[in-house]
Amino acid sequence: MKKIVFCLFAFISLSCSELQQVVNQLPQGPGGLSQLDIANGLKEALDNGIDKQVTKLTAVDGFYKNELVKILLPEELQKVDKGLRDIGLSKLADEGLKVLNRAAEDAVKEATPIFVDAVKQMTFNDAKNILMGDNRAATSYLESTTSNALYSKFNPVIKNSFTKVGADKVWTNIITKYNNIPFVTKVNPDLTDYTTNKAMEGVFKMIAVEEGNIRTQLSSRTSDLLKKVFALQDNK
């Protein structure tokens, strides 16, 4: 028992010593900021982007009435849109566009846990590179660390949402009517994949908006930590 206690004490002492070495090696910036402070500041900035901007996309018309992220038709369907309007079916064309955006709004509700996990995984080195990077470096970090998970989460949600909001029926009707127009080239697009990618694109655009605000506007740095951390960026 004495040997066990002695070994445990030695292990704890070694761990504390190693931890203190790590702390001592953290470079200090202006105002005594450590890399830990910088990492926490960047995490707060990303959390703000998620809380303030991404949640807006989950509301009704969060995509459809936001010109920055509104999902428009893929190129191959733009001729479908024009063809329908040319034969007096503008209302149907408008409805087809709206249901794509509704599905994206549903999918984005699944994004927050994925982003939260990515933010928690951020390392000191990630934080340094983000802070001294360009005006969307934090957004790029999230893109690189969450895109695969987001696609896997969004795609089935959008597929199910198409049924819930009636997009499947609307677009079956649209495609059928268009393909019946004489002399047109028939289409059969994969709208689930397209809407999934556009929903992800919209999410990252809105995070980039908040990141840009924090980097360039002092009024958007809503805590002492954000002010101190991004002051380092201002002076780079």
Side-chain angles (χ1 to χ4, degrees), residues 38 42 123-134 137-138 215:
I38 292 171
L42 265 295
T123 67
F124 292 153
N125 196 50
D126 291 330
K128 181 184 72 174
N129 291 336
I130 290 169
L131 184 64
M132 297 306 170
D134 60 29
R215 286 185 182 274

Side-chain angles (χ1 to χ4, degrees), residues 137-151:
T139 305
S140 296
Y141 166 79
L142 281 183
E143 283 181 310
S144 66
T145 55
T146 66
S147 288
N148 289 339
L150 283 179
Y151 188 94

